[in-house]
Amino acid sequence: RVEEEARYIIRTGATVRECARHMGVSKTTVHKDMRVRLKQLSRGLFEEVGEVIDRNLAERHLRGGMATREKYKGIKSEGQKANALGIRD
């Protein structure tokens, strides 16, 4: 399982959360697999996965900002629809 998770993350650039969802395990399990168990199994895979996880960690704030932006875009458009229909709070 550990090596399969590692190859999936390297191949797709997936986050720990995305990998956990894909593999059907918890993100805690994936994180422990990648940071502890994989180091004992395959040093090369461990280093490759570490690069992807570190990059995802560095980009995390950007994805969060985009998600918030999309959320408020949706709320704004809903508000515009309500105004167009004459609905008030």
Side-chain angles (χ1 to χ4, degrees):
R1 177 194 73 211
V2 175
E3 289 183 359
E4 185 181 346
E5 291 168 351
R7 287 190 181 93
Y8 177 76
I9 289 173
I10 292 166
R11 185 177 69 246
T12 64
T15 63
V16 169
R17 186 180 300 251
E18 291 166 342
C19 180
R21 193 175 303 125
H22 179 77
M23 298 293 173
V25 295
S26 74
K27 62 182 183 159
T28 303
T29 299
V30 172
H31 197 271
K32 183 156 186 167
D33 286 349
M34 296 304 102
R35 294 298 192 182
V36 178
R37 295 181 183 114
L38 186 60
K39 189 175 188 178
Q40 298 166 352
L41 294 174
S42 172
R43 186 70 180 188
L45 273 179
F46 171 77
E47 290 174 2
E48 286 183 63
V49 167
E51 290 175 14
V52 175
I53 290 174
D54 291 342
R55 184 182 65 236
N56 286 337
L57 183 64
E59 295 172 352
R60 171 175 66 181
H61 68 286
L62 298 173
R63 282 191 298 277
M66 288 187 294
T68 301
R69 181 178 181 205
E70 291 301 313
K71 172 185 172 184
Y72 284 103
K73 269 184 167 178
I75 290 173
K76 183 178 178 183
S77 64
E78 290 298 318
Q80 289 171 344
K81 288 178 191 176
N83 286 340
L85 296 172
I87 301 171
R88 299 203 182 254
D89 291 327

